[in-house]
Amino acid sequence: MADTLGKALSGISGILVTPYDAAGEIAPEKLAPVIDRALAAGMHIPVVNGNTGEFYALTTDEACTMAREVVALVAGRAPVLAGVGRGIRDACKLARVSADAGATALMVHQPPDPFVAPRGVVDYLNAVADASGGLPMMLYLRNDSIGTKAIADLCAVPGVRGVKWATPNPLKLAEAMAACDPSITWVGGLAEVWAPPLYAVGARGFTSGLINVWPERSMAIHAALDGGDYAFANRLIAGMRVFEDIRAEEMNGTNVTGVKAALIAMGLDCGPTRPPSAWPLTQGQQERLDAFLSANNLKQGKRT
């Protein structure tokens, strides 16, 4: 399993949105065409309950349902990475449910508690691993200020197979990679735009929210980077940069908004986002998004 999982993590981790119905309740069945298209394009490992999935806007019970339903929708066509996190009891409950549902591995969100000790996170990871019955884990590292030694301690926890590096700090990434077991898979956690510099120091694969909207472009960027063609990868990234720029506005508060607004325009309505995410896009943001979708034949009825 380790080799299979490592290969998948070295590809594209597609962070799926969480759909809602008209009453604001989760509606996982709406993900079916999104998942089908992304898998047909070659997405390596779908991720449920990630940040593009509005993990922190979901109740733990909703996150448990999403884990079960996404594994069922993927139906064995790819390994599934299930996000877990928040308080330790919530994380352990979600780890158990994800394992029982058939998830391949867990993505462990960095604990948001205001009083987090690196050695406490070691205990957290051990508890999550026990609750899941030993599923492999990928760490979601959004704060590298804990230092290289602490990162190495986390990576030494049995069961840790990968790190989603989500800080714009390639040099610290290089230090961390050198300090940890070479079997760890380091994944670029800042999507397509940051993939080239993180690849340059040794990360492989990247996370993607674009995969919900334009999986073919995500796959082309991955193929270019995998082949060492940075110039072509950067040209491809330039062609989707406006989408990521929209998502980064309002202190990243339009991150999921941009994805869900695009899906609506494409006829794949997955509902709005939940507060405190921004909804809807401003008129100017929507106009730029519509122009991007039209220019790339992604509007409803024009997808290829």
Side-chain angles (χ1 to χ4, degrees):
M1 179 187 285
D3 289 341
T4 300
L5 178 61
K7 183 176 181 180
L9 292 176
S10 295
I12 293 179
S13 299
I15 318 298
L16 302 170
V17 298
T18 295
Y20 306 125
D21 63 20
E25 301 298 324
I26 59 171
E29 67 280 0
K30 291 187 174 188
L31 267 181
V34 176
I35 290 173
D36 289 348
R37 184 183 180 198
L39 289 175
M43 175 178 60
H44 304 86
I45 183 164
V47 183
V48 59
N49 293 327
N51 282 341
T52 303
E54 298 179 80
F55 177 66
Y56 289 100
L58 303 177
T59 67
T60 299
D61 285 343
E62 286 176 327
C64 288
T65 298
M66 288 303 302
R68 295 187 192 100
E69 294 296 325
V70 166
V71 171
L73 287 168
V74 173
R77 290 175 288 172
V80 175
L81 191 61
V84 304
R86 294 194 283 254
I88 185 62
R89 293 191 175 187
D90 287 328
C92 287
K93 176 180 178 179
L94 190 46
R96 283 191 295 272
V97 168
S98 298
D100 290 345
T104 308
L106 304 176
M107 180 183 73
V108 185
H109 289 267
Q110 198 159 2
D113 193 298
F115 305 114
V116 176
R119 61 191 174 97
V121 181
V122 170
D123 293 337
Y124 185 96
L125 292 174
N126 280 316
V128 166
D130 289 344
S132 75
L135 276 189
M137 297 181 291
M138 181 170 82
L139 309 181
Y140 184 2
L141 188 70
R142 300 185 71 190
N143 178 7
D144 57 26
S145 67
I146 62 175
T148 299
K149 181 183 182 304
I151 294 169
D153 289 342
L154 298 182
C155 287
V157 172
V160 173
R161 296 289 179 265
V163 178
K164 174 182 172 180
W165 186 271
T167 78
N169 208 328
L171 293 181
K172 283 193 175 181
L173 169 59
E175 288 179 8
M177 292 177 66
C180 296
D181 190 300
S183 66
I184 297 288
T185 301
W186 298 82
V187 178
L190 294 172
E192 287 82 358
V193 172
W194 272 92
L198 297 181
Y199 253 76
V201 298
R204 289 296 175 265
F206 53 86
T207 59
S208 175
L210 180 69
I211 202 81
N212 293 275
V213 173
W214 198 7
E216 298 82 5
R217 176 55 60 97
S218 295
M219 291 302 303
I221 293 167
H222 178 268
L225 289 172
D226 226 31
D229 193 341
Y230 283 76
F232 185 44
N234 282 322
R235 288 198 297 274
L236 292 171
I237 290 168
M240 50 75 69
R241 182 66 184 256
V242 65
F243 180 72
E244 295 299 319
D245 287 347
I246 292 168
R247 296 179 68 202
E249 292 176 1
E250 300 185 55
M251 299 176 62
N252 281 321
T254 51
N255 191 295
V256 187
T257 315
V259 178
K260 284 195 161 181
L263 288 171
I264 289 172
M266 296 169 66
L268 298 169
D269 188 353
C270 286
T273 61
R274 287 177 174 174
S277 170
W279 187 266
L281 292 175
T282 66
Q283 181 178 342
Q285 290 166 340
Q286 187 68 53
E287 288 172 354
R288 287 155 55 208
L289 178 65
D290 287 341
F292 164 78
L293 295 173
S294 293
N296 293 290
N297 295 315
L298 294 169
K299 295 281 277 190
Q300 185 173 4
K302 296 183 179 180
R303 298 189 303 279
T304 58

